[in-house]
Amino acid sequence: QVQLVESGGGLVQAGGSLRLSCATTGYIFSINVMGWYRQAPGRQRELVAVISIGDSTNYANSVKGRFTISRDNAKNTVYLQMNSLKPEDTAVYYCNANIKANIGSRYRAYWGQGTQVTVSS
């Protein structure tokens, strides 16, 4: 049974840094796109960054130059390095991955449980 397990959230002062990790568990045949999304109170979930299996990346304009997404394909893990954090980065951060669980299945989206990131001013 495939699961995504996030870690690394917490409370940090503005200007500080955090590194989020998302590890996959269970049998996995293949993963293509992995990414991070976030949802602040009263707002819709939004894309933060995505990375393809070939390491092509895409970032939300609000985090460009501050956040870096990376992945370790051997560990089926995706990371989000967040620097120069701002209070407006406060949100629950969710990991997402498009996974083919076995050779006969299609890719489908899986989500982590979310990890809280709080940036104080």
Side-chain angles (χ1 to χ4, degrees):
Q1 191 163 349
V2 176
Q3 288 186 317
L4 274 59
V5 180
E6 297 138 341
S7 61
L11 173 65
V12 64
Q13 288 189 331
S17 298
L18 284 174
R19 187 186 193 220
L20 305 183
S21 298
C22 174
T24 57
T25 63
Y27 180 78
I28 294 168
F29 180 77
S30 176
I31 305 176
N32 51 21
V33 179
M34 305 183 81
W36 290 94
Y37 292 71
R38 67 186 181 187
Q39 187 167 18
R43 302 189 66 176
Q44 289 187 331
R45 190 174 298 188
E46 62 177 4
L47 181 146
V48 176
V50 292
I51 183 167
S52 73
I53 193 170
D55 289 340
S56 295
T57 58
N58 189 35
Y59 295 92
N61 288 333
S62 59
V63 307
K64 281 182 181 177
R66 300 188 297 123
F67 291 10
T68 301
I69 189 170
S70 61
R71 64 191 284 173
D72 184 333
N73 292 325
K75 296 181 179 179
N76 290 331
T77 299
V78 63
Y79 306 96
L80 186 68
Q81 178 66 43
M82 304 185 293
N83 298 329
S84 302
L85 282 161
K86 304 175 181 180
E88 50 263 44
D89 294 318
T90 295
V92 178
Y93 283 70
Y94 296 92
C95 172
N96 170 271
N98 283 336
I99 296 173
K100 178 183 281 195
N102 55 69
I103 192 170
S105 65
R106 295 182 179 183
Y107 283 99
R108 57 157 285 197
Y110 289 82
W111 292 91
Q113 79 284 357
T115 185
Q116 177 70 45
V117 171
T118 302
V119 184
S120 62
S121 57

